[in-house]
Amino acid sequence: MTDFPTQLAFDDAIAIIREVAAKHRVDTETLPLSRAHGRILAADVVAPIALPPFDNSAMDGFALRHADLGEGETALHLVDEQFAGRARDITVGEGECVRITTGAPMPTGADTVVIKENTREDAGRVVILARPSAAGANLRRAGEDVQAGECVLQAGQRLTPARASLAASLGVPSLTVFRRPTVAVFSSGDELVEPGLSLAPGEIYDSNRELLMGLLRAEGLEPTAWPRLPDDPRQVEIALRDAGCAFDLIVTCGAVSAGEKDHIPAVLQQFGQVHFWKVRMKPGMPVLFGSLDQARVLALPGNPVSVFATFLGFGRTLIDALQGRSEARDAERAQLVAPIEKSHARREFQRARVFCDEHGVLRADPNPAVGSHRLRAVGESNALIVVPDGPQRLAAGSVVEILRYV
Ligand code: AMP
Ligand code: MG
């Protein structure tokens, strides 16, 4: 097995992931709008119509001509009614008004809507109690939101509920999106036991599988968990090669360091490719990124907190790049509640509880638990603080990058 003596800088590892994934982007498909939620758009969406499509009332009330209103109260003849969804060809003449509901097309001649609450009805006449200061009150103009032909959504954006509703409002029935990458999840280690079975001496329960399944589902994927990999090179090879020809992405945890039982790097070197192995980060240093057959492989170290740091650090980038997401996720920052010091060069990921204080400031309270096996500290936290490369003395109040996971 070729060793990788030099640890890669974190940012260089990210660049490699983006570059490799861009060459192996999943293909696209056209889906009905209702099935495209959460997907990444593969094509721009151009508005086929204007929004609103026609001038209409923003309120329930009476459509009238502003010029007909005097300083005080004005009585107008009620000549007709116009309801939403029943467009009729109605004209408002001098001294007249038309009863109108929200969303109903404006009658010809009317330029203003007075809300019902500012009127009084009196034997076929409507008394307007207060005059709006200018014509155009309570009116929504055709095209004031979107003009026909405008590009409203861009390829590379994620289809959020708000964006789906925008497409729907334009009458777009289906969208071209990237397919969801298929993902196989592996835990590895002879010591691992399924929850529900009893533990023999030296065994522990497999906790990373649930962690990874949850983190992947939170990305909108539908991961498939494979049976645990034993620490046996031949079995690791067979299982990974099987998955390599069937999935877009393989995420493993454990068996990726330098121990006698860490067989994943050798299998990838022999049967696939290793794009990088070992990154200057803490925890998570032995993380490996490779390819095997048609799959990209993200091999994470086994310590539960390392799984967190490497998944949040690299897994999200890989998933985004595989499905063509070009819109950057919002970088989040918070103020440290307590100081952080480190003397090593690696980028460090520390568990923290992030909360918004009474002044509206996002604050990060580092969890003092040391050790990448401390899962309870992960459970009590909701984010990782990213402590930059190189020695750092960050005073309380310093602004740091955070990766939230709830
Ligand atoms: P490894 O990377 O295989 O050397 O594992 C590092 C540490 O993480 C060991 O203490 C393992 O027992 C532990 N570990 C590995 N995989 C899991 C898992 N799926 N669930 C819980 N702990 C694990
Ligand atoms: Mg192991």
Side-chain angles (χ1 to χ4, degrees):
M1 181 169 75
T2 317
D3 195 16
F4 279 59
T6 344
Q7 296 174 16
L8 204 60
F10 188 91
D11 291 335
D12 293 341
I14 290 280
I16 291 174
I17 287 178
R18 291 212 173 105
E19 189 188 319
V20 172
K23 291 190 198 124
H24 297 281
R25 196 166 283 169
V26 293
D27 35 47
T28 64
E29 58 187 341
T30 301
L31 290 181
L33 205 46
S34 63
R35 291 193 50 224
H37 285 260
R39 295 297 191 91
I40 307 301
L41 295 172
D44 293 352
V45 176
V46 172
I49 58 169
L51 280 184
F54 47 86
D55 290 352
N56 68 91
S57 175
M59 301 294 277
D60 294 329
F62 297 91
L64 45 81
R65 297 153 30 122
H66 190 263
D68 292 349
L69 301 180
E71 284 285 341
E73 297 187 355
T74 309
L76 299 173
H77 287 290
L78 181 61
V79 293
D80 212 328
E81 46 193 24
Q82 180 82 306
F83 298 137
R86 307 227 188 102
R88 292 162 56 229
D89 190 12
I90 302 175
T91 303
V92 174
E94 189 178 345
E96 294 176 347
C97 67
V98 164
R99 189 189 307 279
I100 195 162
T101 56
T102 308
M106 281 298 280
T108 310
D111 59 13
T112 300
V113 172
V114 172
I115 62 171
K116 205 171 173 179
E117 292 79 351
N118 289 345
T119 65
R120 186 178 71 237
E121 284 189 63
D122 184 11
R125 287 156 71 88
V126 178
V127 181
I128 308 297
L129 306 175
R131 179 173 69 167
S133 54
N138 302 315
L139 202 161
R140 305 162 176 161
R141 295 266 181 217
E144 72 178 15
D145 193 5
V146 175
Q147 301 274 330
E150 261 186 283
C151 177
V152 288
L153 298 174
Q154 273 125 42
Q157 289 182 326
R158 189 170 158 272
L159 190 69
T160 58
R163 288 170 175 163
S165 80
L166 176 59
S169 72
L170 292 164
V172 173
S174 57
L175 292 170
T176 306
V177 294
F178 287 99
R179 188 167 60 66
R180 283 256 180 257
T182 52
V183 194
V185 172
F186 290 91
S187 303
S188 74
D190 285 340
E191 73 279 30
L192 301 178
V193 174
E194 297 275 320
L197 301 178
S198 49
L199 292 177
E203 292 180 337
I204 58 166
Y205 288 116
D206 179 351
S207 59
N208 289 344
R209 172 182 295 177
E210 285 315 313
L211 181 57
L212 281 170
M213 294 297 281
L215 288 169
L216 287 159
R217 285 199 183 106
E219 296 301 320
L221 304 181
E222 290 165 12
T224 304
W226 278 46
R228 173 189 61 83
L229 288 177
D231 288 322
D232 173 81
R234 184 81 182 116
Q235 293 201 51
V236 170
E237 176 203 323
I238 291 169
L240 291 188
R241 291 179 79 187
D242 266 357
C245 61
F247 289 83
D248 300 310
L249 175 61
I250 296 173
V251 181
T252 67
C253 60
V256 74
S257 316
E260 285 67 34
K261 298 287 183 181
D262 293 339
H263 300 300
I264 289 178
V267 166
L268 283 163
Q269 280 180 351
Q270 195 177 347
F271 300 100
Q273 258 181 294
V274 173
H275 306 300
F276 67 72
W277 182 22
K278 298 175 185 170
V279 173
R280 285 202 290 278
M281 65 189 290
K282 183 185 175 201
M285 184 279 288
V287 61
L288 179 151
F289 174 51
S291 290
L292 185 61
D293 205 325
Q294 65 163 51
R296 281 345 93 201
V297 182
L298 191 59
L300 312 178
N303 267 313
V305 184
S306 308
V307 171
F308 242 105
T310 48
F311 184 86
L312 298 185
F314 298 124
R316 285 177 173 175
T317 302
L318 177 56
I319 291 162
D320 286 352
L322 282 176
Q323 50 185 338
R325 181 171 180 174
S326 53
E327 180 184 43
R329 294 179 189 232
D330 285 340
E332 289 195 285
R333 291 185 178 74
Q335 274 188 8
L336 284 179
V337 169
I340 293 181
E341 274 191 39
K342 75 174 174 82
S343 52
H344 61 78
R346 292 185 279 164
R347 186 168 303 191
E348 188 166 326
F349 295 82
Q350 285 199 11
R351 288 139 285 188
R353 194 176 61 81
V354 168
F355 61 97
C356 186
D357 72 11
E358 67 275 22
H359 306 295
V361 176
L362 214 51
R363 313 245 284 152
D365 193 4
N367 189 308
V370 176
S372 53
H373 60 293
R374 304 280 288 264
L375 205 46
R376 180 171 172 172
V378 173
E380 288 167 351
S381 308
N382 57 7
L384 295 179
I385 294 172
V386 183
V387 189
D389 299 2
Q392 300 288 337
R393 293 179 78 126
L394 303 174
S398 308
V399 175
V400 288
E401 184 189 342
I402 53 166
L403 299 172
R404 280 211 256 200
Y405 52 77
V406 283

PDB file of all heavy atoms in Angstrom, residues 189-219:
ATOM      1  N   GLY A 189     -15.897  -2.529  11.220  1.00  0.00           N
ATOM      2  CA  GLY A 189     -15.176  -2.846  12.464  1.00  0.00           C
ATOM      3  C   GLY A 189     -15.753  -4.101  13.096  1.00  0.00           C
ATOM      4  O   GLY A 189     -16.973  -4.215  13.220  1.00  0.00           O
ATOM      5  N   ASP A 190     -14.868  -5.022  13.474  1.00  0.00           N
ATOM      6  CA  ASP A 190     -15.306  -6.277  14.098  1.00  0.00           C
ATOM      7  C   ASP A 190     -15.973  -6.048  15.443  1.00  0.00           C
ATOM      8  O   ASP A 190     -16.669  -6.918  15.952  1.00  0.00           O
ATOM      9  CB  ASP A 190     -14.096  -7.210  14.297  1.00  0.00           C
ATOM     10  CG  ASP A 190     -13.649  -7.833  12.983  1.00  0.00           C
ATOM     11  OD1 ASP A 190     -14.462  -7.862  12.037  1.00  0.00           O
ATOM     12  OD2 ASP A 190     -12.490  -8.280  12.911  1.00  0.00           O
ATOM     13  N   GLU A 191     -15.715  -4.882  16.032  1.00  0.00           N
ATOM     14  CA  GLU A 191     -16.249  -4.632  17.377  1.00  0.00           C
ATOM     15  C   GLU A 191     -17.703  -4.137  17.359  1.00  0.00           C
ATOM     16  O   GLU A 191     -18.320  -4.006  18.416  1.00  0.00           O
ATOM     17  CB  GLU A 191     -15.362  -3.594  18.107  1.00  0.00           C
ATOM     18  CG  GLU A 191     -15.478  -2.134  17.639  1.00  0.00           C
ATOM     19  CD  GLU A 191     -14.677  -1.790  16.386  1.00  0.00           C
ATOM     20  OE1 GLU A 191     -14.475  -2.676  15.543  1.00  0.00           O
ATOM     21  OE2 GLU A 191     -14.279  -0.620  16.244  1.00  0.00           O
ATOM     22  N   LEU A 192     -18.236  -3.881  16.172  1.00  0.00           N
ATOM     23  CA  LEU A 192     -19.544  -3.211  16.111  1.00  0.00           C
ATOM     24  C   LEU A 192     -20.711  -4.190  16.154  1.00  0.00           C
ATOM     25  O   LEU A 192     -20.685  -5.237  15.506  1.00  0.00           O
ATOM     26  CB  LEU A 192     -19.647  -2.378  14.834  1.00  0.00           C
ATOM     27  CG  LEU A 192     -18.584  -1.303  14.666  1.00  0.00           C
ATOM     28  CD1 LEU A 192     -18.759  -0.589  13.333  1.00  0.00           C
ATOM     29  CD2 LEU A 192     -18.641  -0.304  15.816  1.00  0.00           C
ATOM     30  N   VAL A 193     -21.731  -3.804  16.905  1.00  0.00           N
ATOM     31  CA  VAL A 193     -22.920  -4.642  17.093  1.00  0.00           C
ATOM     32  C   VAL A 193     -24.151  -3.761  16.889  1.00  0.00           C
ATOM     33  O   VAL A 193     -24.150  -2.589  17.265  1.00  0.00           O
ATOM     34  CB  VAL A 193     -22.916  -5.234  18.530  1.00  0.00           C
ATOM     35  CG1 VAL A 193     -24.202  -5.981  18.813  1.00  0.00           C
ATOM     36  CG2 VAL A 193     -21.714  -6.136  18.718  1.00  0.00           C
ATOM     37  N   GLU A 194     -25.166  -4.346  16.280  1.00  0.00           N
ATOM     38  CA  GLU A 194     -26.435  -3.626  16.086  1.00  0.00           C
ATOM     39  C   GLU A 194     -27.116  -3.363  17.417  1.00  0.00           C
ATOM     40  O   GLU A 194     -27.184  -4.305  18.231  1.00  0.00           O
ATOM     41  CB  GLU A 194     -27.418  -4.519  15.316  1.00  0.00           C
ATOM     42  CG  GLU A 194     -27.008  -4.910  13.938  1.00  0.00           C
ATOM     43  CD  GLU A 194     -27.391  -3.859  12.932  1.00  0.00           C
ATOM     44  OE1 GLU A 194     -28.488  -3.299  13.054  1.00  0.00           O
ATOM     45  OE2 GLU A 194     -26.564  -3.591  12.061  1.00  0.00           O
ATOM     46  N   PRO A 195     -27.679  -2.184  17.627  1.00  0.00           N
ATOM     47  CA  PRO A 195     -28.516  -1.999  18.815  1.00  0.00           C
ATOM     48  C   PRO A 195     -29.619  -3.058  18.817  1.00  0.00           C
ATOM     49  O   PRO A 195     -30.157  -3.397  17.758  1.00  0.00           O
ATOM     50  CB  PRO A 195     -29.088  -0.595  18.626  1.00  0.00           C
ATOM     51  CG  PRO A 195     -28.131   0.091  17.724  1.00  0.00           C
ATOM     52  CD  PRO A 195     -27.588  -0.969  16.816  1.00  0.00           C
ATOM     53  N   GLY A 196     -29.923  -3.611  19.992  1.00  0.00           N
ATOM     54  CA  GLY A 196     -30.923  -4.681  20.064  1.00  0.00           C
ATOM     55  C   GLY A 196     -30.272  -6.028  20.326  1.00  0.00           C
ATOM     56  O   GLY A 196     -30.896  -6.923  20.879  1.00  0.00           O
ATOM     57  N   LEU A 197     -28.990  -6.191  19.921  1.00  0.00           N
ATOM     58  CA  LEU A 197     -28.261  -7.431  20.228  1.00  0.00           C
ATOM     59  C   LEU A 197     -27.453  -7.204  21.502  1.00  0.00           C
ATOM     60  O   LEU A 197     -27.224  -6.056  21.898  1.00  0.00           O
ATOM     61  CB  LEU A 197     -27.329  -7.799  19.071  1.00  0.00           C
ATOM     62  CG  LEU A 197     -28.014  -8.013  17.712  1.00  0.00           C
ATOM     63  CD1 LEU A 197     -26.982  -8.319  16.637  1.00  0.00           C
ATOM     64  CD2 LEU A 197     -29.045  -9.142  17.819  1.00  0.00           C
ATOM     65  N   SER A 198     -27.011  -8.299  22.121  1.00  0.00           N
ATOM     66  CA  SER A 198     -26.234  -8.078  23.351  1.00  0.00           C
ATOM     67  C   SER A 198     -24.752  -7.984  23.009  1.00  0.00           C
ATOM     68  O   SER A 198     -24.294  -8.492  21.982  1.00  0.00           O
ATOM     69  CB  SER A 198     -26.517  -9.175  24.372  1.00  0.00           C
ATOM     70  OG  SER A 198     -26.394 -10.415  23.748  1.00  0.00           O
ATOM     71  N   LEU A 199     -24.048  -7.292  23.877  1.00  0.00           N
ATOM     72  CA  LEU A 199     -22.627  -7.038  23.647  1.00  0.00           C
ATOM     73  C   LEU A 199     -21.772  -8.133  24.266  1.00  0.00           C
ATOM     74  O   LEU A 199     -21.924  -8.446  25.445  1.00  0.00           O
ATOM     75  CB  LEU A 199     -22.227  -5.702  24.295  1.00  0.00           C
ATOM     76  CG  LEU A 199     -22.788  -4.409  23.696  1.00  0.00           C
ATOM     77  CD1 LEU A 199     -22.336  -3.218  24.540  1.00  0.00           C
ATOM     78  CD2 LEU A 199     -22.331  -4.240  22.251  1.00  0.00           C
ATOM     79  N   ALA A 200     -20.852  -8.689  23.481  1.00  0.00           N
ATOM     80  CA  ALA A 200     -19.825  -9.579  24.037  1.00  0.00           C
ATOM     81  C   ALA A 200     -18.678  -8.685  24.523  1.00  0.00           C
ATOM     82  O   ALA A 200     -18.620  -7.511  24.151  1.00  0.00           O
ATOM     83  CB  ALA A 200     -19.364 -10.542  22.955  1.00  0.00           C
ATOM     84  N   PRO A 201     -17.756  -9.234  25.316  1.00  0.00           N
ATOM     85  CA  PRO A 201     -16.635  -8.396  25.781  1.00  0.00           C
ATOM     86  C   PRO A 201     -15.894  -7.771  24.600  1.00  0.00           C
ATOM     87  O   PRO A 201     -15.636  -8.454  23.600  1.00  0.00           O
ATOM     88  CB  PRO A 201     -15.739  -9.392  26.534  1.00  0.00           C
ATOM     89  CG  PRO A 201     -16.650 -10.503  26.943  1.00  0.00           C
ATOM     90  CD  PRO A 201     -17.710 -10.593  25.881  1.00  0.00           C
ATOM     91  N   GLY A 202     -15.602  -6.506  24.720  1.00  0.00           N
ATOM     92  CA  GLY A 202     -14.832  -5.811  23.675  1.00  0.00           C
ATOM     93  C   GLY A 202     -15.688  -5.240  22.572  1.00  0.00           C
ATOM     94  O   GLY A 202     -15.177  -4.555  21.684  1.00  0.00           O
ATOM     95  N   GLU A 203     -16.973  -5.508  22.595  1.00  0.00           N
ATOM     96  CA  GLU A 203     -17.837  -4.993  21.520  1.00  0.00           C
ATOM     97  C   GLU A 203     -18.497  -3.675  21.933  1.00  0.00           C
ATOM     98  O   GLU A 203     -18.677  -3.408  23.116  1.00  0.00           O
ATOM     99  CB  GLU A 203     -18.907  -6.031  21.168  1.00  0.00           C
ATOM    100  CG  GLU A 203     -18.320  -7.277  20.511  1.00  0.00           C
ATOM    101  CD  GLU A 203     -19.379  -8.311  20.155  1.00  0.00           C
ATOM    102  OE1 GLU A 203     -20.471  -8.304  20.765  1.00  0.00           O
ATOM    103  OE2 GLU A 203     -19.097  -9.139  19.281  1.00  0.00           O
ATOM    104  N   ILE A 204     -18.886  -2.896  20.927  1.00  0.00           N
ATOM    105  CA  ILE A 204     -19.645  -1.654  21.171  1.00  0.00           C
ATOM    106  C   ILE A 204     -20.781  -1.595  20.156  1.00  0.00           C
ATOM    107  O   ILE A 204     -20.737  -2.283  19.137  1.00  0.00           O
ATOM    108  CB  ILE A 204     -18.767  -0.376  21.030  1.00  0.00           C
ATOM    109  CG1 ILE A 204     -18.148  -0.306  19.616  1.00  0.00           C
ATOM    110  CG2 ILE A 204     -17.695  -0.314  22.092  1.00  0.00           C
ATOM    111  CD1 ILE A 204     -17.549   1.044  19.274  1.00  0.00           C
ATOM    112  N   TYR A 205     -21.749  -0.757  20.447  1.00  0.00           N
ATOM    113  CA  TYR A 205     -22.842  -0.597  19.494  1.00  0.00           C
ATOM    114  C   TYR A 205     -22.425   0.346  18.366  1.00  0.00           C
ATOM    115  O   TYR A 205     -21.675   1.298  18.580  1.00  0.00           O
ATOM    116  CB  TYR A 205     -24.091  -0.061  20.195  1.00  0.00           C
ATOM    117  CG  TYR A 205     -24.746  -1.106  21.077  1.00  0.00           C
ATOM    118  CD1 TYR A 205     -24.818  -0.937  22.460  1.00  0.00           C
ATOM    119  CD2 TYR A 205     -25.260  -2.272  20.524  1.00  0.00           C
ATOM    120  CE1 TYR A 205     -25.399  -1.900  23.266  1.00  0.00           C
ATOM    121  CE2 TYR A 205     -25.846  -3.244  21.326  1.00  0.00           C
ATOM    122  CZ  TYR A 205     -25.911  -3.060  22.694  1.00  0.00           C
ATOM    123  OH  TYR A 205     -26.471  -4.025  23.472  1.00  0.00           O
ATOM    124  N   ASP A 206     -22.945   0.060  17.201  1.00  0.00           N
ATOM    125  CA  ASP A 206     -22.687   0.896  16.017  1.00  0.00           C
ATOM    126  C   ASP A 206     -23.521   2.175  16.121  1.00  0.00           C
ATOM    127  O   ASP A 206     -24.742   2.126  16.014  1.00  0.00           O
ATOM    128  CB  ASP A 206     -23.089   0.088  14.769  1.00  0.00           C
ATOM    129  CG  ASP A 206     -22.882   0.865  13.474  1.00  0.00           C
ATOM    130  OD1 ASP A 206     -22.593   2.074  13.541  1.00  0.00           O
ATOM    131  OD2 ASP A 206     -23.031   0.255  12.404  1.00  0.00           O
ATOM    132  N   SER A 207     -22.868   3.277  16.348  1.00  0.00           N
ATOM    133  CA  SER A 207     -23.616   4.539  16.437  1.00  0.00           C
ATOM    134  C   SER A 207     -23.461   5.380  15.165  1.00  0.00           C
ATOM    135  O   SER A 207     -24.309   6.206  14.839  1.00  0.00           O
ATOM    136  CB  SER A 207     -23.143   5.361  17.640  1.00  0.00           C
ATOM    137  OG  SER A 207     -21.763   5.644  17.516  1.00  0.00           O
ATOM    138  N   ASN A 208     -22.381   5.154  14.428  1.00  0.00           N
ATOM    139  CA  ASN A 208     -22.145   5.997  13.245  1.00  0.00           C
ATOM    140  C   ASN A 208     -23.162   5.782  12.136  1.00  0.00           C
ATOM    141  O   ASN A 208     -23.427   6.685  11.351  1.00  0.00           O
ATOM    142  CB  ASN A 208     -20.758   5.717  12.657  1.00  0.00           C
ATOM    143  CG  ASN A 208     -19.661   6.253  13.540  1.00  0.00           C
ATOM    144  OD1 ASN A 208     -19.923   7.070  14.421  1.00  0.00           O
ATOM    145  ND2 ASN A 208     -18.445   5.788  13.326  1.00  0.00           N
ATOM    146  N   ARG A 209     -23.686   4.565  12.064  1.00  0.00           N
ATOM    147  CA  ARG A 209     -24.645   4.321  10.983  1.00  0.00           C
ATOM    148  C   ARG A 209     -25.837   5.262  11.116  1.00  0.00           C
ATOM    149  O   ARG A 209     -26.237   5.913  10.158  1.00  0.00           O
ATOM    150  CB  ARG A 209     -25.132   2.880  11.015  1.00  0.00           C
ATOM    151  CG  ARG A 209     -26.264   2.680  10.022  1.00  0.00           C
ATOM    152  CD  ARG A 209     -26.818   1.293  10.043  1.00  0.00           C
ATOM    153  NE  ARG A 209     -25.802   0.354   9.593  1.00  0.00           N
ATOM    154  CZ  ARG A 209     -25.988  -0.966   9.553  1.00  0.00           C
ATOM    155  NH1 ARG A 209     -27.122  -1.477   9.952  1.00  0.00           N
ATOM    156  NH2 ARG A 209     -25.043  -1.741   9.132  1.00  0.00           N
ATOM    157  N   GLU A 210     -26.366   5.354  12.335  1.00  0.00           N
ATOM    158  CA  GLU A 210     -27.521   6.252  12.535  1.00  0.00           C
ATOM    159  C   GLU A 210     -27.137   7.696  12.265  1.00  0.00           C
ATOM    160  O   GLU A 210     -27.911   8.478  11.710  1.00  0.00           O
ATOM    161  CB  GLU A 210     -28.095   6.112  13.946  1.00  0.00           C
ATOM    162  CG  GLU A 210     -28.886   4.850  14.160  1.00  0.00           C
ATOM    163  CD  GLU A 210     -29.849   4.525  13.021  1.00  0.00           C
ATOM    164  OE1 GLU A 210     -30.584   5.423  12.569  1.00  0.00           O
ATOM    165  OE2 GLU A 210     -29.848   3.376  12.559  1.00  0.00           O
ATOM    166  N   LEU A 211     -25.930   8.048  12.709  1.00  0.00           N
ATOM    167  CA  LEU A 211     -25.451   9.415  12.495  1.00  0.00           C
ATOM    168  C   LEU A 211     -25.411   9.723  10.994  1.00  0.00           C
ATOM    169  O   LEU A 211     -25.953  10.731  10.528  1.00  0.00           O
ATOM    170  CB  LEU A 211     -24.051   9.526  13.108  1.00  0.00           C
ATOM    171  CG  LEU A 211     -23.340  10.856  13.042  1.00  0.00           C
ATOM    172  CD1 LEU A 211     -24.181  11.936  13.684  1.00  0.00           C
ATOM    173  CD2 LEU A 211     -21.985  10.749  13.747  1.00  0.00           C
ATOM    174  N   LEU A 212     -24.803   8.830  10.231  1.00  0.00           N
ATOM    175  CA  LEU A 212     -24.660   9.085   8.793  1.00  0.00           C
ATOM    176  C   LEU A 212     -25.995   9.026   8.064  1.00  0.00           C
ATOM    177  O   LEU A 212     -26.262   9.839   7.170  1.00  0.00           O
ATOM    178  CB  LEU A 212     -23.687   8.070   8.178  1.00  0.00           C
ATOM    179  CG  LEU A 212     -22.226   8.399   8.434  1.00  0.00           C
ATOM    180  CD1 LEU A 212     -21.327   7.241   8.019  1.00  0.00           C
ATOM    181  CD2 LEU A 212     -21.823   9.670   7.678  1.00  0.00           C
ATOM    182  N   MET A 213     -26.825   8.063   8.443  1.00  0.00           N
ATOM    183  CA  MET A 213     -28.141   7.973   7.783  1.00  0.00           C
ATOM    184  C   MET A 213     -28.916   9.267   8.016  1.00  0.00           C
ATOM    185  O   MET A 213     -29.549   9.807   7.106  1.00  0.00           O
ATOM    186  CB  MET A 213     -28.935   6.777   8.321  1.00  0.00           C
ATOM    187  CG  MET A 213     -28.327   5.430   7.978  1.00  0.00           C
ATOM    188  SD  MET A 213     -28.257   5.068   6.214  1.00  0.00           S
ATOM    189  CE  MET A 213     -29.948   4.562   5.941  1.00  0.00           C
ATOM    190  N   GLY A 214     -28.855   9.774   9.233  1.00  0.00           N
ATOM    191  CA  GLY A 214     -29.577  11.011   9.556  1.00  0.00           C
ATOM    192  C   GLY A 214     -28.992  12.210   8.833  1.00  0.00           C
ATOM    193  O   GLY A 214     -29.729  13.047   8.289  1.00  0.00           O
ATOM    194  N   LEU A 215     -27.671  12.310   8.820  1.00  0.00           N
ATOM    195  CA  LEU A 215     -27.035  13.458   8.157  1.00  0.00           C
ATOM    196  C   LEU A 215     -27.316  13.436   6.653  1.00  0.00           C
ATOM    197  O   LEU A 215     -27.553  14.480   6.035  1.00  0.00           O
ATOM    198  CB  LEU A 215     -25.518  13.441   8.406  1.00  0.00           C
ATOM    199  CG  LEU A 215     -25.087  13.796   9.828  1.00  0.00           C
ATOM    200  CD1 LEU A 215     -23.607  13.481  10.046  1.00  0.00           C
ATOM    201  CD2 LEU A 215     -25.355  15.262  10.140  1.00  0.00           C
ATOM    202  N   LEU A 216     -27.314  12.237   6.065  1.00  0.00           N
ATOM    203  CA  LEU A 216     -27.578  12.141   4.626  1.00  0.00           C
ATOM    204  C   LEU A 216     -29.046  12.437   4.324  1.00  0.00           C
ATOM    205  O   LEU A 216     -29.363  13.108   3.339  1.00  0.00           O
ATOM    206  CB  LEU A 216     -27.192  10.749   4.108  1.00  0.00           C
ATOM    207  CG  LEU A 216     -25.674  10.529   4.017  1.00  0.00           C
ATOM    208  CD1 LEU A 216     -25.330   9.042   4.004  1.00  0.00           C
ATOM    209  CD2 LEU A 216     -25.108  11.199   2.764  1.00  0.00           C
ATOM    210  N   ARG A 217     -29.922  11.942   5.187  1.00  0.00           N
ATOM    211  CA  ARG A 217     -31.352  12.237   4.960  1.00  0.00           C
ATOM    212  C   ARG A 217     -31.605  13.736   5.079  1.00  0.00           C
ATOM    213  O   ARG A 217     -32.430  14.290   4.362  1.00  0.00           O
ATOM    214  CB  ARG A 217     -32.223  11.477   5.955  1.00  0.00           C
ATOM    215  CG  ARG A 217     -32.316  10.014   5.606  1.00  0.00           C
ATOM    216  CD  ARG A 217     -33.511   9.356   6.269  1.00  0.00           C
ATOM    217  NE  ARG A 217     -33.515   7.937   5.965  1.00  0.00           N
ATOM    218  CZ  ARG A 217     -33.198   6.982   6.831  1.00  0.00           C
ATOM    219  NH1 ARG A 217     -32.878   7.292   8.076  1.00  0.00           N
ATOM    220  NH2 ARG A 217     -33.213   5.719   6.468  1.00  0.00           N
ATOM    221  N   ALA A 218     -30.894  14.375   5.998  1.00  0.00           N
ATOM    222  CA  ALA A 218     -31.072  15.827   6.154  1.00  0.00           C
ATOM    223  C   ALA A 218     -30.650  16.564   4.884  1.00  0.00           C
ATOM    224  O   ALA A 218     -31.068  17.700   4.654  1.00  0.00           O
ATOM    225  CB  ALA A 218     -30.270  16.330   7.350  1.00  0.00           C
ATOM    226  N   GLU A 219     -29.846  15.923   4.058  1.00  0.00           N
ATOM    227  CA  GLU A 219     -29.464  16.517   2.768  1.00  0.00           C
ATOM    228  C   GLU A 219     -30.471  16.178   1.684  1.00  0.00           C
ATOM    229  O   GLU A 219     -30.249  16.463   0.503  1.00  0.00           O
ATOM    230  CB  GLU A 219     -28.075  16.017   2.346  1.00  0.00           C
ATOM    231  CG  GLU A 219     -26.953  16.434   3.290  1.00  0.00           C
ATOM    232  CD  GLU A 219     -26.838  17.940   3.426  1.00  0.00           C
ATOM    233  OE1 GLU A 219     -26.990  18.622   2.414  1.00  0.00           O
ATOM    234  OE2 GLU A 219     -26.633  18.426   4.553  1.00  0.00           O
TER     235      GLU A 219
END
